[in-house]
């Protein structure tokens, strides 16, 4: 039997929803959120984003029962997917949850 001990402080939720990323000095990007935790988010994007980039993400849930989420983020790393070199996995830390009109 395999045993696994979670070393993260917060659990990650698997997600598959649209997002919009706005980073300083970069055109706004569309993204797909793949997982989300209290302190971070992993998104797939079509453009490599420089590590250290700061900006915001607006996560747009697929159903109206869940409000949108906006947060200030910092890109930790952005690497091409091994099975698709034209798509990049952007791992970001969440610095602050921002107030939205829907909240």
């Amino acid at each position: 039997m395999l045993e696994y001990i979670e070393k993260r402080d917060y659990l990650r939720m698997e997600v598959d929803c649209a997002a919009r990323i706005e980073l300083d000095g970069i055109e706004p990007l569309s993204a797909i959120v793949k997982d989300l935790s209290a302190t971070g988010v992993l998104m797939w994007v079509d453009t490599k984003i420089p590590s250290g980039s700061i900006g915001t993400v607006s996560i747009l849930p697929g159903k109206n029962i869940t409000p949108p989420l906006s947060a200030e983020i910092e890109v930790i790393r952005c690497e091409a997917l091994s099975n698709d070199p034209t798509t990049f996995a952007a791992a970001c830390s969440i610095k602050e949850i921002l107030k939205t009109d829907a909240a």
Side-chain angles (χ1 to χ4, degrees):
M1 179 176 171
L2 296 176
E3 290 187 27
Y4 176 75
I5 298 172
E6 178 62 62
K7 294 183 172 87
R8 300 181 198 281
D9 290 335
Y10 298 97
L11 293 176
R12 290 184 178 213
M13 295 183 299
E14 286 188 29
V15 181
D16 191 17
C17 65
R20 181 172 175 85
I21 305 170
E22 294 185 21
L23 301 168
D24 295 339
I26 299 173
E27 288 289 321
L29 301 169
S30 294
I32 301 294
V33 177
K34 298 313 279 182
D35 74 39
L36 177 67
S37 77
T39 60
V41 59
L42 176 68
M43 299 175 280
W44 288 359
V45 294
D46 293 334
T47 304
K48 186 170 175 86
I49 304 169
S51 296
S53 296
I54 304 278
T56 60
V57 62
S58 297
I59 301 172
L60 313 167
K63 301 193 188 285
N64 290 339
I65 60 171
T66 305
L69 171 76
S70 290
E72 181 182 322
I73 58 169
E74 179 179 357
V75 178
I76 303 303
R77 69 181 172 281
C78 187
E79 302 168 341
L81 298 179
S82 59
N83 62 342
D84 180 1
T86 64
T87 301
F88 298 86
C92 305
S93 64
I94 295 175
K95 300 299 183 187
E96 180 180 357
I97 302 295
L98 302 173
K99 196 172 220 177
T100 62
D101 293 335

